[in-house]
Amino acid sequence: MLEVIAVYLGQALIAIGVLCDLVASIGLLRFPNFYLRLHAATVGTIGGAFVPLIGAALLAAGSTYLGAYRWFIAGGALVTAIMVLMLAPAGSHALARAAHRSRAAVVEPKVVNYLEEDEVGKSG
Amino acid sequence: MVEASLIVLGVMALFALSSTIATYLAITERNLVKAVLYSAIQSTLYALIYYLLMAPDIVLVYVPVSVGLYPAIVLMLIKKTEKEES
Amino acid sequence: MKELISMFIIAVLPIYITSFILYMVRALRGPTVPDTVLAIDAMTFDLAAFLVILAIFFESPILIATAIVLALWIYSLDIYVAKYLEAKEMGE
């Protein structure tokens, strides 16, 4: 009984993750500049990788036909999920900071940028 | 019911085609940092192809060398010399 | 139960392939360097989830170790490129 609940919950989480993945890829393709694409990348890493990894761990824990090795798959998926949860925001933050400080990314449809004005005022 | 081996072959062909495009762009690109990144795309796709060929031990060796060590060494070299190919 | 899980994974698989192709389009034609790195990043973390789901589909537990390695080492590419961009700004 518990295995059936785990399988259905895992399938629901994987379905949510796949939808987040598709939305994130469309957003990464359609957004106009780098700082807007960071939003889509957040949906793609946390919603598209962390959630289906938790779902895959539940799905593997519930599939009894794999025998005792199913705990191996569930543990590996859980470790990968925790790793993605820690590493993806850190990497995106380091990349955004480097892109802002080196002016590698151009802010194309710009309304106002207080951070840039502050830096110009401080140096000038 | 779709045959499982057919799915595997189709995915493998698609990713092999994409890695060919990435390799072509890596050769013809003038900006050397972008060429390193195209090479990283190619090695990521090769990792999936090795996985589908049921060789996880090759993946365990190939990913640290081609995604971890090789871009680090080449980016260090580009930082010491010049960015554009002349 | 085995039929149900296999059918579900086969139904999920084309959506993953579509999103990989869209990520790869952005990675190949991204106008600047940070765009390309961001697209590779998101694509590889999703690839790790895809490899775990395929390990359940193939019923072979030994394939699970590749996802951990892939998720760990693609983070280092981020840090290398970020350090390269910042070092260029600071004047070596």
Side-chain angles (χ1 to χ4, degrees), chain A:
Chain A
M1 189 58 210
L2 213 57
E3 284 88 359
V4 177
I5 295 173
V7 165
Y8 284 129
L9 204 59
Q11 284 182 351
L13 285 180
I14 289 176
I16 292 172
V18 164
L19 287 182
C20 282
D21 206 356
L22 193 62
V23 168
S25 61
I26 294 172
L28 206 66
L29 199 61
R30 297 279 298 169
F31 275 146
N33 65 39
F34 172 71
Y35 299 103
L36 288 177
R37 280 176 203 137
L38 276 173
H39 297 103
T42 305
V43 175
T45 48
I46 299 300
F50 174 70
V51 174
L53 279 168
I54 295 288
L58 285 174
L59 187 63
S63 55
T64 47
Y65 60 92
L66 286 176
Y69 282 116
R70 70 181 191 269
W71 300 114
F72 190 61
I73 296 182
L78 203 63
V79 168
T80 315
I82 292 170
M83 221 168 260
V84 167
L85 185 65
M86 285 192 297
L87 292 185
S92 304
H93 176 259
L95 199 65
R97 184 173 181 272
H100 176 254
R101 292 181 69 140
S102 71
R103 290 173 179 78
V106 186
V107 187
E108 189 42 57
K110 180 167 71 174
V111 177
V112 66
N113 191 352
Y114 286 124
L115 199 55
E116 201 175 65
E117 287 170 10
D118 274 358
E119 281 173 359
V120 169
K122 207 181 294 176
S123 68

Side-chain angles (χ1 to χ4, degrees), chain B residues 1 7-8 14-15 18 33-34 37-38 41 44-45 48 51 54 56 60 63-64 67-68 71-72 79 83, chain C residues 7 13 17 20-21 24 28 31 33 37 40 47 51 54-55 58 63 66 69-70 73-74 77 80 84 88 92:
Chain B
M1 185 72 192
I7 296 172
V8 168
L14 202 65
F15 279 73
S18 307
V33 183
K34 281 191 179 179
L37 293 175
Y38 290 144
I41 296 175
T44 306
L45 296 177
L48 183 78
Y51 177 94
M54 291 291 154
L60 290 183
V63 167
V67 178
K79 201 192 291 181
K83 186 183 166 191
Chain C
M7 289 301 288
L13 212 126
I17 300 296
F20 285 147
I21 290 171
M24 217 164 328
L28 290 180
V33 173
V37 182
I40 296 173
L47 194 61
L51 295 191
L54 275 186
F58 290 144
L63 294 175
T66 59
V69 173
L70 207 60
W73 279 100
I74 205 67
L77 189 72
Y80 295 152
Y84 172 79
K88 201 179 63 178
E92 308 297 318

